[in-house]
Amino acid sequence: MAKHRGRGVATINYPIGMNLGGDPSQALVHSNPTGKFTVTLSSIDLGQGMKSVTRQICAETLGVPVEDVFVDTADSDTGPHCMGSFASRGTHRVGNAVMMAAREARAVMMEAAAEELEVDPADLETDGRGAIHVKGAPHRSIAVRDVAIAAQFRQGRTIAGRGIFLVPLSDVDAETGEMTPATCYAHACFIVEVEVDDETGDVAVLKMTSAYELGRALNPKLVEQQLVGGSWMGMSHALYETPEPYYPDTREGPRDFNEYLMPGPGDICPHDVAVLERPASDGPFGAKGLGEMCANPVLPAVANAIFNAVGVRVNELPITPEKVLRALKARGGAVPARAR
Amino acid sequence: MFELRKDIFADERDDNLKEIGQPTQRQDMLGHVTGTSTYYDDHRIAGLLHLKVLRSPHAHARIRSIDDAAAARAPGVKRIIRAADVPVNLNTLLSLIQFGKDDEPSLANDIVRYKGEPILGIVATSERAAIEALGLVRVSYDQLPAVFDVEEALKPGAPSVNATYPKNTFEYHGKYDHQKLRYGDVEAGFAQADVVLEERYQMSPIEHAPVETNGSIAVPDTNGRFVVYTSTQALFFSLDTAAKINAVPSNQLHFIGGTVGGGFGGKVDTMTEPLVILAARLTGAPVRYRFSRHEEMQFGAPRGAERIYVKDGVMRDGRIVARKVRAYFDSGAYTRLSSYAVVKCVAHIPGPYTIPNAHADVYCVFTNRTPATAMRGFGVTALDFALECQMDKLAVAIGMDPIEFRILNAYRDGDMKAHRREAKNCALIECAQVAAEKANWPLREQFRRMSSRIGGGADRTAAGVDRSRAPTPAAPARTAAAAPQRVAYERPAPPAPTPPPARGAPPPPPSPPAGSTHGAPRFSSVFGTRRR
């Protein structure tokens, strides 16, 4: 009776947005009379950071500090249509809609500033700190706040913009499955080290190492939050969770968190993450999305690591101690990789 | 530890940005960590009533009679809602995008098709009063044979689960009980292969387990409108579904949400809004309907189970020449979104690899269990589990390192995918190289030198083409990178560990524009300076 270590790997990709497209999202951006901006959406922030990532996209596109932008979501009377927060679509679809709206608002802002400075709008640039100045002549400058006041009270302009992003719906061929499922894909490679107890069948996850490519990390902290949280979820799906433990038999379904097994804080392990950025041609600043895919590679990587550790394959999820023990019994005991 | 590998693909990015790429604190962080963010259930409303539903104790049964007289007289009960009270009782979620037929009632009126299916609703002055009144309802059932296994459900004579789809399968293109993928000739691929491996994989259902269970509150407003506070993941999706079921114009409904306590796909199905709005319309009072944890775990839709058979043909040199998949999505008693996930699954086959012959049949199957729905990785998670376990087994079978095996077969820019679109913007190889380096997993030189940007396309990916043939002179673009792909594979001796190159010391030189870099030396902290 012993504990055996092993490691496993998986590589995956993941499509961004609803399969086949046809899932629009809209955004509105407007300035208040003193140059502070609101992004109005009907998209949902599930905790993934929808409000924050669209806020940064808007600020970058407008050329104003992020503190000067807030995102309002989700009210069906004020927010324009969004298909919803699912299918890893938020950053890509909504982000593009916000960019389009912010570009339109920026164009009006630059025209208003040009009128105040008596120059051509094409000669102006934003400094990202709340001012607009003539290219190459930073002293010929006007604050965004003063532009907004002038636009509202003197020029009669609306510093506002509308945006929509829609990937046209693709057909699916009935005979061959020919289709355009997605316009861009995120990628990952996940390596996990486990320890399998051949007496109890218990699997402990010891270390995770990963590389994720997601177009552009718009906010690296939000990316890290998703990737680390998602890997724990994947680990939990690999080893613990199901509401039907004897599927397809429906008995013994758990009713609460006492009966529904999940890892606890003591089961969490270090995760060493690298992020690569290969921009998508149609992503906002190249961004794709990472919401769903970060959990996916963990499941097979854990299964492969168990094989590497003790020489058994468990093809049914979740890989509970019971299944590991049954497989070990059928195999006649643990056979670590080095002994094969 | 978290690191951004800015050195890789640097020539494809403009990193001269101000706000993008900053680790800015979340807009809602302070509210979340101080417990002051407003979720749907944080609205305190005077005179709030509570809706609970009676759920079927049987997986499949005909309802003979319902006696709710005692419940109607119970203390605190304001209204009983029956199937006949629901204006448009039959619906399917994806009717909003014209996909599928209406197949699911809000309240079952003749047959219950899964344990937990709602039969009637009770609106009362407290949740407790509503639950106690539910205990007074007498329903008499004739139990019917039930089916729980996807392959059993497809056999002749299996109990018919869903009246709209009596053969227990969703209908694709008006004529098939599954979605097909056909690319190349898999049988020719298997005949050519040195090793053929067929395996069965099974994923059980998985609960989303959000901290906040599904729920909503409907409040009568002026002008005949209703304000609806909701936990939905898709505001207009839920609004339009609720408007259809209630047969009211969409602008009678004012949905407010946006801050949700975890969804993971489990808050798309609009399970509470239609009935809570109906309850508010029937009583003229504000009503809340929230799932208990037990309801969320057993009767709120889970990620559906999937059964997947994978058959692969592989050559001793590591090339996968054929992949055949047959998969069954367990949709439960009704369609919800599983029909959509089947097509997404087909699009994902054969995984992120270039395989010249691919074939799939994927079914959406009805069984007598809680309807399944979307969950993080919808249509892909179980398939990735099956394919990546399969990749590991294939690597063992031919004696190849599992990462090198994946790099060899990874899709590259210009490759043709099985759904007949050209791959672009690929990065699987680079992810594998970086992860291997970080984990001190030794890769041999030629695998550390491979690139998603080089060697794809041409006859590498043509359907049915034997890629072991020598390259023709007419294909110069792939010649340079083609050689290492055809390295003959003997069972490798344990590779000598390669010390990772020192990182960070010399800064990368300015990147030349994309497209002009072929053959030019380029610095990479993964590979050091090398010729591409």
PDB file of all heavy atoms in Angstrom, chain B residues 199-225:
ATOM      1  N   GLU B 199     -12.663   3.536 -27.740  1.00  0.00           N
ATOM      2  CA  GLU B 199     -12.936   3.604 -26.305  1.00  0.00           C
ATOM      3  C   GLU B 199     -14.276   4.283 -26.061  1.00  0.00           C
ATOM      4  O   GLU B 199     -14.763   5.057 -26.883  1.00  0.00           O
ATOM      5  CB  GLU B 199     -11.834   4.409 -25.602  1.00  0.00           C
ATOM      6  CG  GLU B 199     -10.488   3.720 -25.591  1.00  0.00           C
ATOM      7  CD  GLU B 199     -10.346   2.700 -24.492  1.00  0.00           C
ATOM      8  OE1 GLU B 199      -9.914   3.055 -23.393  1.00  0.00           O
ATOM      9  OE2 GLU B 199     -10.670   1.523 -24.737  1.00  0.00           O
ATOM     10  N   ARG B 200     -14.837   4.028 -24.860  1.00  0.00           N
ATOM     11  CA  ARG B 200     -16.110   4.627 -24.454  1.00  0.00           C
ATOM     12  C   ARG B 200     -15.857   5.530 -23.255  1.00  0.00           C
ATOM     13  O   ARG B 200     -15.151   5.153 -22.322  1.00  0.00           O
ATOM     14  CB  ARG B 200     -17.077   3.506 -24.061  1.00  0.00           C
ATOM     15  CG  ARG B 200     -18.401   3.940 -23.459  1.00  0.00           C
ATOM     16  CD  ARG B 200     -19.089   2.683 -22.913  1.00  0.00           C
ATOM     17  NE  ARG B 200     -20.459   2.899 -22.480  1.00  0.00           N
ATOM     18  CZ  ARG B 200     -20.808   3.259 -21.252  1.00  0.00           C
ATOM     19  NH1 ARG B 200     -19.886   3.512 -20.334  1.00  0.00           N
ATOM     20  NH2 ARG B 200     -22.088   3.371 -20.949  1.00  0.00           N
ATOM     21  N   TYR B 201     -16.440   6.718 -23.313  1.00  0.00           N
ATOM     22  CA  TYR B 201     -16.299   7.686 -22.218  1.00  0.00           C
ATOM     23  C   TYR B 201     -17.677   8.116 -21.741  1.00  0.00           C
ATOM     24  O   TYR B 201     -18.619   8.205 -22.531  1.00  0.00           O
ATOM     25  CB  TYR B 201     -15.498   8.912 -22.677  1.00  0.00           C
ATOM     26  CG  TYR B 201     -14.100   8.554 -23.122  1.00  0.00           C
ATOM     27  CD1 TYR B 201     -13.845   8.220 -24.450  1.00  0.00           C
ATOM     28  CD2 TYR B 201     -13.063   8.504 -22.210  1.00  0.00           C
ATOM     29  CE1 TYR B 201     -12.574   7.860 -24.865  1.00  0.00           C
ATOM     30  CE2 TYR B 201     -11.785   8.138 -22.616  1.00  0.00           C
ATOM     31  CZ  TYR B 201     -11.541   7.822 -23.938  1.00  0.00           C
ATOM     32  OH  TYR B 201     -10.275   7.463 -24.322  1.00  0.00           O
ATOM     33  N   GLN B 202     -17.765   8.409 -20.464  1.00  0.00           N
ATOM     34  CA  GLN B 202     -19.050   8.821 -19.891  1.00  0.00           C
ATOM     35  C   GLN B 202     -18.825   9.956 -18.905  1.00  0.00           C
ATOM     36  O   GLN B 202     -17.993   9.838 -18.002  1.00  0.00           O
ATOM     37  CB  GLN B 202     -19.700   7.642 -19.161  1.00  0.00           C
ATOM     38  CG  GLN B 202     -20.986   7.985 -18.434  1.00  0.00           C
ATOM     39  CD  GLN B 202     -22.136   8.240 -19.397  1.00  0.00           C
ATOM     40  OE1 GLN B 202     -22.439   7.403 -20.236  1.00  0.00           O
ATOM     41  NE2 GLN B 202     -22.755   9.410 -19.304  1.00  0.00           N
ATOM     42  N   MET B 203     -19.542  11.049 -19.115  1.00  0.00           N
ATOM     43  CA  MET B 203     -19.567  12.117 -18.115  1.00  0.00           C
ATOM     44  C   MET B 203     -20.942  12.136 -17.479  1.00  0.00           C
ATOM     45  O   MET B 203     -21.947  12.187 -18.172  1.00  0.00           O
ATOM     46  CB  MET B 203     -19.289  13.474 -18.767  1.00  0.00           C
ATOM     47  CG  MET B 203     -19.281  14.630 -17.773  1.00  0.00           C
ATOM     48  SD  MET B 203     -19.079  16.227 -18.586  1.00  0.00           S
ATOM     49  CE  MET B 203     -20.650  16.352 -19.441  1.00  0.00           C
ATOM     50  N   SER B 204     -20.998  12.064 -16.153  1.00  0.00           N
ATOM     51  CA  SER B 204     -22.271  12.180 -15.436  1.00  0.00           C
ATOM     52  C   SER B 204     -22.724  13.638 -15.461  1.00  0.00           C
ATOM     53  O   SER B 204     -21.944  14.523 -15.787  1.00  0.00           O
ATOM     54  CB  SER B 204     -22.094  11.715 -13.994  1.00  0.00           C
ATOM     55  OG  SER B 204     -21.759  10.348 -13.961  1.00  0.00           O
ATOM     56  N   PRO B 205     -23.986  13.898 -15.091  1.00  0.00           N
ATOM     57  CA  PRO B 205     -24.407  15.302 -14.981  1.00  0.00           C
ATOM     58  C   PRO B 205     -23.554  16.034 -13.943  1.00  0.00           C
ATOM     59  O   PRO B 205     -22.947  15.406 -13.067  1.00  0.00           O
ATOM     60  CB  PRO B 205     -25.866  15.213 -14.518  1.00  0.00           C
ATOM     61  CG  PRO B 205     -26.297  13.816 -14.837  1.00  0.00           C
ATOM     62  CD  PRO B 205     -25.062  12.970 -14.742  1.00  0.00           C
ATOM     63  N   ILE B 206     -23.518  17.358 -14.066  1.00  0.00           N
ATOM     64  CA  ILE B 206     -22.793  18.180 -13.088  1.00  0.00           C
ATOM     65  C   ILE B 206     -23.672  19.369 -12.720  1.00  0.00           C
ATOM     66  O   ILE B 206     -24.319  19.970 -13.584  1.00  0.00           O
ATOM     67  CB  ILE B 206     -21.434  18.658 -13.650  1.00  0.00           C
ATOM     68  CG1 ILE B 206     -20.545  17.453 -13.980  1.00  0.00           C
ATOM     69  CG2 ILE B 206     -20.735  19.582 -12.646  1.00  0.00           C
ATOM     70  CD1 ILE B 206     -19.208  17.815 -14.614  1.00  0.00           C
ATOM     71  N   GLU B 207     -23.725  19.667 -11.434  1.00  0.00           N
ATOM     72  CA  GLU B 207     -24.518  20.794 -10.933  1.00  0.00           C
ATOM     73  C   GLU B 207     -23.673  22.074 -10.983  1.00  0.00           C
ATOM     74  O   GLU B 207     -22.485  22.050 -10.697  1.00  0.00           O
ATOM     75  CB  GLU B 207     -24.950  20.466  -9.486  1.00  0.00           C
ATOM     76  CG  GLU B 207     -25.332  21.631  -8.607  1.00  0.00           C
ATOM     77  CD  GLU B 207     -26.519  22.428  -9.124  1.00  0.00           C
ATOM     78  OE1 GLU B 207     -27.223  21.971 -10.025  1.00  0.00           O
ATOM     79  OE2 GLU B 207     -26.710  23.552  -8.620  1.00  0.00           O
ATOM     80  N   HIS B 208     -24.319  23.171 -11.382  1.00  0.00           N
ATOM     81  CA  HIS B 208     -23.581  24.440 -11.467  1.00  0.00           C
ATOM     82  C   HIS B 208     -23.147  24.919 -10.088  1.00  0.00           C
ATOM     83  O   HIS B 208     -22.118  25.557  -9.946  1.00  0.00           O
ATOM     84  CB  HIS B 208     -24.445  25.508 -12.114  1.00  0.00           C
ATOM     85  CG  HIS B 208     -24.988  25.105 -13.455  1.00  0.00           C
ATOM     86  ND1 HIS B 208     -26.127  24.356 -13.596  1.00  0.00           N
ATOM     87  CD2 HIS B 208     -24.534  25.331 -14.714  1.00  0.00           C
ATOM     88  CE1 HIS B 208     -26.358  24.144 -14.885  1.00  0.00           C
ATOM     89  NE2 HIS B 208     -25.412  24.709 -15.582  1.00  0.00           N
ATOM     90  N   ALA B 209     -23.993  24.639  -9.087  1.00  0.00           N
ATOM     91  CA  ALA B 209     -23.695  24.992  -7.698  1.00  0.00           C
ATOM     92  C   ALA B 209     -23.312  26.454  -7.513  1.00  0.00           C
ATOM     93  O   ALA B 209     -22.305  26.766  -6.889  1.00  0.00           O
ATOM     94  CB  ALA B 209     -22.590  24.069  -7.137  1.00  0.00           C
ATOM     95  N   PRO B 210     -24.123  27.373  -8.038  1.00  0.00           N
ATOM     96  CA  PRO B 210     -23.849  28.785  -7.766  1.00  0.00           C
ATOM     97  C   PRO B 210     -24.141  29.092  -6.303  1.00  0.00           C
ATOM     98  O   PRO B 210     -24.979  28.409  -5.678  1.00  0.00           O
ATOM     99  CB  PRO B 210     -24.847  29.520  -8.676  1.00  0.00           C
ATOM    100  CG  PRO B 210     -25.997  28.569  -8.793  1.00  0.00           C
ATOM    101  CD  PRO B 210     -25.388  27.182  -8.777  1.00  0.00           C
ATOM    102  N   VAL B 211     -23.468  30.091  -5.749  1.00  0.00           N
ATOM    103  CA  VAL B 211     -23.755  30.467  -4.359  1.00  0.00           C
ATOM    104  C   VAL B 211     -25.198  30.965  -4.256  1.00  0.00           C
ATOM    105  O   VAL B 211     -25.925  30.633  -3.325  1.00  0.00           O
ATOM    106  CB  VAL B 211     -22.762  31.558  -3.892  1.00  0.00           C
ATOM    107  CG1 VAL B 211     -23.153  32.059  -2.514  1.00  0.00           C
ATOM    108  CG2 VAL B 211     -21.348  30.992  -3.870  1.00  0.00           C
ATOM    109  N   GLU B 212     -25.624  31.755  -5.255  1.00  0.00           N
ATOM    110  CA  GLU B 212     -26.997  32.274  -5.286  1.00  0.00           C
ATOM    111  C   GLU B 212     -27.846  31.336  -6.144  1.00  0.00           C
ATOM    112  O   GLU B 212     -27.535  31.119  -7.320  1.00  0.00           O
ATOM    113  CB  GLU B 212     -26.972  33.679  -5.916  1.00  0.00           C
ATOM    114  CG  GLU B 212     -28.316  34.290  -6.223  1.00  0.00           C
ATOM    115  CD  GLU B 212     -28.206  35.397  -7.285  1.00  0.00           C
ATOM    116  OE1 GLU B 212     -27.677  35.159  -8.383  1.00  0.00           O
ATOM    117  OE2 GLU B 212     -28.650  36.519  -7.012  1.00  0.00           O
ATOM    118  N   THR B 213     -28.904  30.769  -5.572  1.00  0.00           N
ATOM    119  CA  THR B 213     -29.765  29.892  -6.373  1.00  0.00           C
ATOM    120  C   THR B 213     -30.602  30.735  -7.346  1.00  0.00           C
ATOM    121  O   THR B 213     -30.700  31.951  -7.207  1.00  0.00           O
ATOM    122  CB  THR B 213     -30.703  29.071  -5.459  1.00  0.00           C
ATOM    123  OG1 THR B 213     -31.508  29.982  -4.710  1.00  0.00           O
ATOM    124  CG2 THR B 213     -29.918  28.179  -4.514  1.00  0.00           C
ATOM    125  N   ASN B 214     -31.213  30.065  -8.329  1.00  0.00           N
ATOM    126  CA  ASN B 214     -32.092  30.742  -9.284  1.00  0.00           C
ATOM    127  C   ASN B 214     -33.263  31.394  -8.556  1.00  0.00           C
ATOM    128  O   ASN B 214     -33.825  30.813  -7.624  1.00  0.00           O
ATOM    129  CB  ASN B 214     -32.662  29.722 -10.271  1.00  0.00           C
ATOM    130  CG  ASN B 214     -31.786  29.534 -11.481  1.00  0.00           C
ATOM    131  OD1 ASN B 214     -31.892  30.274 -12.464  1.00  0.00           O
ATOM    132  ND2 ASN B 214     -30.895  28.553 -11.424  1.00  0.00           N
ATOM    133  N   GLY B 215     -33.655  32.582  -9.025  1.00  0.00           N
ATOM    134  CA  GLY B 215     -34.818  33.217  -8.439  1.00  0.00           C
ATOM    135  C   GLY B 215     -35.147  34.530  -9.101  1.00  0.00           C
ATOM    136  O   GLY B 215     -34.371  35.054  -9.909  1.00  0.00           O
ATOM    137  N   SER B 216     -36.335  35.045  -8.783  1.00  0.00           N
ATOM    138  CA  SER B 216     -36.740  36.353  -9.304  1.00  0.00           C
ATOM    139  C   SER B 216     -37.902  36.892  -8.467  1.00  0.00           C
ATOM    140  O   SER B 216     -38.570  36.147  -7.741  1.00  0.00           O
ATOM    141  CB  SER B 216     -37.145  36.252 -10.776  1.00  0.00           C
ATOM    142  OG  SER B 216     -38.101  35.234 -10.964  1.00  0.00           O
ATOM    143  N   ILE B 217     -38.096  38.198  -8.574  1.00  0.00           N
ATOM    144  CA  ILE B 217     -39.191  38.887  -7.886  1.00  0.00           C
ATOM    145  C   ILE B 217     -39.925  39.720  -8.928  1.00  0.00           C
ATOM    146  O   ILE B 217     -39.287  40.469  -9.679  1.00  0.00           O
ATOM    147  CB  ILE B 217     -38.657  39.828  -6.775  1.00  0.00           C
ATOM    148  CG1 ILE B 217     -37.866  39.039  -5.724  1.00  0.00           C
ATOM    149  CG2 ILE B 217     -39.798  40.610  -6.122  1.00  0.00           C
ATOM    150  CD1 ILE B 217     -37.151  39.925  -4.711  1.00  0.00           C
ATOM    151  N   ALA B 218     -41.247  39.596  -8.992  1.00  0.00           N
ATOM    152  CA  ALA B 218     -42.041  40.422  -9.913  1.00  0.00           C
ATOM    153  C   ALA B 218     -42.879  41.400  -9.107  1.00  0.00           C
ATOM    154  O   ALA B 218     -43.551  40.997  -8.149  1.00  0.00           O
ATOM    155  CB  ALA B 218     -42.938  39.546 -10.775  1.00  0.00           C
ATOM    156  N   VAL B 219     -42.816  42.674  -9.482  1.00  0.00           N
ATOM    157  CA  VAL B 219     -43.517  43.725  -8.738  1.00  0.00           C
ATOM    158  C   VAL B 219     -44.421  44.487  -9.708  1.00  0.00           C
ATOM    159  O   VAL B 219     -43.929  45.066 -10.680  1.00  0.00           O
ATOM    160  CB  VAL B 219     -42.504  44.710  -8.100  1.00  0.00           C
ATOM    161  CG1 VAL B 219     -43.230  45.732  -7.235  1.00  0.00           C
ATOM    162  CG2 VAL B 219     -41.457  43.959  -7.296  1.00  0.00           C
ATOM    163  N   PRO B 220     -45.743  44.498  -9.443  1.00  0.00           N
ATOM    164  CA  PRO B 220     -46.629  45.288 -10.307  1.00  0.00           C
ATOM    165  C   PRO B 220     -46.223  46.764 -10.274  1.00  0.00           C
ATOM    166  O   PRO B 220     -45.936  47.316  -9.202  1.00  0.00           O
ATOM    167  CB  PRO B 220     -48.021  45.086  -9.674  1.00  0.00           C
ATOM    168  CG  PRO B 220     -47.904  43.814  -8.896  1.00  0.00           C
ATOM    169  CD  PRO B 220     -46.490  43.776  -8.401  1.00  0.00           C
ATOM    170  N   ASP B 221     -46.209  47.384 -11.448  1.00  0.00           N
ATOM    171  CA  ASP B 221     -45.811  48.785 -11.586  1.00  0.00           C
ATOM    172  C   ASP B 221     -46.989  49.532 -12.210  1.00  0.00           C
ATOM    173  O   ASP B 221     -48.031  48.938 -12.484  1.00  0.00           O
ATOM    174  CB  ASP B 221     -44.558  48.837 -12.489  1.00  0.00           C
ATOM    175  CG  ASP B 221     -43.797  50.145 -12.347  1.00  0.00           C
ATOM    176  OD1 ASP B 221     -44.175  50.992 -11.506  1.00  0.00           O
ATOM    177  OD2 ASP B 221     -42.811  50.323 -13.094  1.00  0.00           O
ATOM    178  N   THR B 222     -46.835  50.809 -12.457  1.00  0.00           N
ATOM    179  CA  THR B 222     -47.916  51.551 -13.105  1.00  0.00           C
ATOM    180  C   THR B 222     -48.024  51.168 -14.578  1.00  0.00           C
ATOM    181  O   THR B 222     -47.143  50.518 -15.139  1.00  0.00           O
ATOM    182  CB  THR B 222     -47.641  53.065 -13.008  1.00  0.00           C
ATOM    183  OG1 THR B 222     -46.329  53.315 -13.479  1.00  0.00           O
ATOM    184  CG2 THR B 222     -47.786  53.533 -11.578  1.00  0.00           C
ATOM    185  N   ASN B 223     -49.110  51.578 -15.217  1.00  0.00           N
ATOM    186  CA  ASN B 223     -49.343  51.346 -16.650  1.00  0.00           C
ATOM    187  C   ASN B 223     -49.385  49.862 -17.013  1.00  0.00           C
ATOM    188  O   ASN B 223     -49.074  49.486 -18.130  1.00  0.00           O
ATOM    189  CB  ASN B 223     -48.272  52.037 -17.504  1.00  0.00           C
ATOM    190  CG  ASN B 223     -48.265  53.540 -17.276  1.00  0.00           C
ATOM    191  OD1 ASN B 223     -49.321  54.179 -17.315  1.00  0.00           O
ATOM    192  ND2 ASN B 223     -47.102  54.099 -17.007  1.00  0.00           N
ATOM    193  N   GLY B 224     -49.727  49.019 -16.051  1.00  0.00           N
ATOM    194  CA  GLY B 224     -49.820  47.591 -16.341  1.00  0.00           C
ATOM    195  C   GLY B 224     -48.486  46.907 -16.521  1.00  0.00           C
ATOM    196  O   GLY B 224     -48.422  45.780 -17.011  1.00  0.00           O
ATOM    197  N   ARG B 225     -47.430  47.596 -16.130  1.00  0.00           N
ATOM    198  CA  ARG B 225     -46.104  47.007 -16.292  1.00  0.00           C
ATOM    199  C   ARG B 225     -45.698  46.257 -15.013  1.00  0.00           C
ATOM    200  O   ARG B 225     -46.274  46.433 -13.950  1.00  0.00           O
ATOM    201  CB  ARG B 225     -45.057  48.082 -16.614  1.00  0.00           C
ATOM    202  CG  ARG B 225     -45.389  48.918 -17.845  1.00  0.00           C
ATOM    203  CD  ARG B 225     -44.243  49.882 -18.143  1.00  0.00           C
ATOM    204  NE  ARG B 225     -43.168  49.221 -18.870  1.00  0.00           N
ATOM    205  CZ  ARG B 225     -41.886  49.609 -18.828  1.00  0.00           C
ATOM    206  NH1 ARG B 225     -41.517  50.615 -18.064  1.00  0.00           N
ATOM    207  NH2 ARG B 225     -40.990  48.978 -19.522  1.00  0.00           N
TER     208      ARG B 225
END
